[in-house]
Amino acid sequence: MSVAHRGLILLGFPRPNRGANSTVRQKFCETKGTKGIAVKWTLASDIDGTLVGSRESLDRLANRLDVLRNAGGLLLIYCTGRRLDQVIDGTETEGLPIPDAVICQVGTEIYLEPNQESASLESWRTKLLSEYSRAEAESFLDGIPGLQMQPHEFNTDLKTSCFVDECPNPDATAAMIAERAARADDRYMVIYSSGRDLDILPASSGKGKAIAFLLQHLGRSHENVVVAGDTGNDSAMFHHFDRGIVVANAQPELIALAEAADAKSVYQAGLPYAAGVEQGLEFFGVLPIKTA
Ligand code: GLC
């Protein structure tokens, strides 16, 4: 088991407020069902630093996605480290289009037709719980000077998350935690991002595997999937699917991945945030190329 790519969760992005109003909740409830939609493309995108970063770009992309979705041409999935309520709040405060499904907490929770009261997909939870012990995951963090746990809402029965940036040597600390986890029969995956965030997740989780499970659950093919991201914790999506968009503001590890991969399948956008996603969707033929 190795430490996953170092990624940087960009600090300074506006955090959604916690008070989603009932209109937004209602809109979520009215989102059309995800089962049985005969759509051609699936876009599975990270949120912070990928779709969110420039409101103007996101508004333009959202309008174009709306047209495609209204014509039944796109299934939209968010794949994020956020909690579900933060995603829902983001549809109100950050201009995020209402998605068809959401994968939260770095691939450990899946929500279909998401609303504030949604429960995460039970079959995914059951599968992950069968390999994961929160107590065992916490034991990998024992006795490490400077280590701090993340707030409790980012720690769940399937995700043990801490900060290592105040440890004397964060990189070495992350490697040591990964080594401890590797002794546990490959049941754990350690994701180290930004020299700060460290997640211990079930080995079967992560963003890429969660999308694959969701698509299988919906009876949808893994073809015609485009993923988009900006940091190391997005790299699992690029390993699973043939078409990936790396936005121009991406962190070095994801850019390196883009350069190493087949140029046909990983598109390095020239523009940041949603504008980069838009460019990539044009490149892969999901959106028509704008002539104006
Ligand atoms: C998001 C999550 C956090 C996690 C980080 C890196 O910021 O909120 O818990 O550690 O992503 O995966």
Side-chain angles (χ1 to χ4, degrees), residues 28 51 58 61-62 65-66 69 76 78 91 95-99:
F28 258 87
L51 290 174
L58 178 56
L61 175 64
L65 292 182
D66 260 4
R69 295 174 79 199
L76 179 63
Y78 295 146
T91 64
L96 287 168
I98 294 171

Side-chain angles (χ1 to χ4, degrees), residues 225-290:
V225 176
V226 180
V227 302
D230 71 315
T231 71
N233 87 353
D234 297 316
S235 62
M237 300 196 286
F238 289 78
H239 295 146
H240 269 79
F241 297 98
D242 287 343
R243 299 174 185 83
I245 302 166
V246 177
V247 290
N249 54 291
Q251 294 305 309
E253 70 278 352
L254 205 58
I255 292 172
L257 175 80
E259 282 167 359
D262 177 347
K264 265 194 238 154
S265 59
V266 177
Y267 177 79
Q268 170 68 69
L271 295 172
Y273 309 116
V277 176
E278 185 180 3
Q279 280 188 314
L281 291 175
E282 288 183 352
F283 175 82
F284 290 121
V286 179
L287 290 174
I289 293 174
K290 273 197 301 208

Side-chain angles (χ1 to χ4, degrees), residues 19-75:
N21 69 21
S22 55
T23 313
V24 172
R25 288 177 198 180
Q26 187 57 32
K27 273 164 87 186
F28 258 87
C29 296
E30 287 168 0
T31 302
K32 60 189 170 185
T34 40
K35 283 207 179 207
I37 301 176
V39 294
K40 179 169 178 196
W41 291 100
T42 296
L43 170 62
S45 181
D46 173 54
I47 294 178
D48 295 291
T50 303
L51 290 174
V52 168
S54 157
R55 179 64 189 258
E56 192 188 335
S57 305
L58 178 56
D59 287 348
R60 195 180 53 239
L61 175 64
N63 285 337
R64 296 190 73 190
L65 292 182
D66 260 4
V67 174
L68 191 59
R69 295 174 79 199
N70 289 339
L74 181 78
L75 188 78

Side-chain angles (χ1 to χ4, degrees), residues 9 15 81 106 150 154 159 161 193 197-199 233:
I9 300 303
R15 277 286 170 217
V106 199
Q150 292 188 15
F154 294 109
K159 177 171 171 282
S161 294
S193 310
D197 302 325
L198 188 137
D199 308 309
N233 87 353

Side-chain angles (χ1 to χ4, degrees), residues 24-278:
V24 172
R25 288 177 198 180
Q26 187 57 32
K27 273 164 87 186
F28 258 87
C29 296
E30 287 168 0
T31 302
K32 60 189 170 185
T34 40
K35 283 207 179 207
I37 301 176
V39 294
K40 179 169 178 196
W41 291 100
T42 296
L43 170 62
S45 181
D46 173 54
I47 294 178
D48 295 291
T50 303
L51 290 174
V52 168
S54 157
R55 179 64 189 258
E56 192 188 335
S57 305
L58 178 56
D59 287 348
R60 195 180 53 239
L61 175 64
N63 285 337
R64 296 190 73 190
L65 292 182
D66 260 4
V67 174
L68 191 59
R69 295 174 79 199
N70 289 339
L74 181 78
L75 188 78
L76 179 63
I77 300 171
Y78 295 146
C79 207
T80 175
R82 288 189 187 192
R83 305 184 313 260
L84 178 65
D85 63 311
Q86 293 176 312
V87 175
I88 293 174
D89 289 353
T91 64
E92 179 190 13
T93 62
E94 297 164 276
L96 287 168
I98 294 171
D100 296 297
V102 181
I103 293 167
C104 289
Q105 300 271 28
V106 199
T108 56
E109 299 172 8
I110 297 175
Y111 298 92
L112 305 170
E113 302 180 43
N115 62 69
Q116 293 279 19
E117 282 78 40
S118 295
S120 74
L121 186 64
E122 197 51 46
S123 47
W124 182 237
R125 255 186 77 70
T126 306
K127 175 180 159 65
L128 300 185
L129 279 170
S130 70
E131 72 187 36
Y132 194 81
S133 154
R134 164 102 204 173
E136 188 173 31
E138 280 178 358
S139 74
F140 306 144
L141 306 177
D142 279 349
I144 299 179
L147 182 144
Q148 290 180 318
M149 294 307 289
Q150 292 188 15
H152 76 273
E153 65 265 32
F154 294 109
N155 274 284
T156 70
D157 53 359
L158 287 169
K159 177 171 171 282
T160 303
S161 294
C162 61
F163 299 121
V164 294
D165 54 326
E166 295 196 0
C167 297
N169 184 338
D171 292 3
T173 301
M176 185 186 74
I177 294 167
E179 253 170 55
R180 289 181 181 180
R183 290 187 209 122
D185 303 331
D186 282 342
R187 284 182 294 116
Y188 298 91
M189 163 167 59
V190 174
I191 300 184
Y192 175 43
S193 310
S194 69
R196 183 190 72 156
D197 302 325
L198 188 137
D199 308 309
I200 306 174
L201 308 176
S204 304
S205 69
K207 291 186 174 187
K209 287 176 183 156
I211 298 167
F213 188 91
L214 170 61
L215 293 176
Q216 192 170 355
H217 179 84
L218 296 174
R220 286 183 58 81
S221 128
H222 291 201
E223 306 284 315
N224 294 337
V225 176
V226 180
V227 302
D230 71 315
T231 71
N233 87 353
D234 297 316
S235 62
M237 300 196 286
F238 289 78
H239 295 146
H240 269 79
F241 297 98
D242 287 343
R243 299 174 185 83
I245 302 166
V246 177
V247 290
N249 54 291
Q251 294 305 309
E253 70 278 352
L254 205 58
I255 292 172
L257 175 80
E259 282 167 359
D262 177 347
K264 265 194 238 154
S265 59
V266 177
Y267 177 79
Q268 170 68 69
L271 295 172
Y273 309 116
V277 176
E278 185 180 3

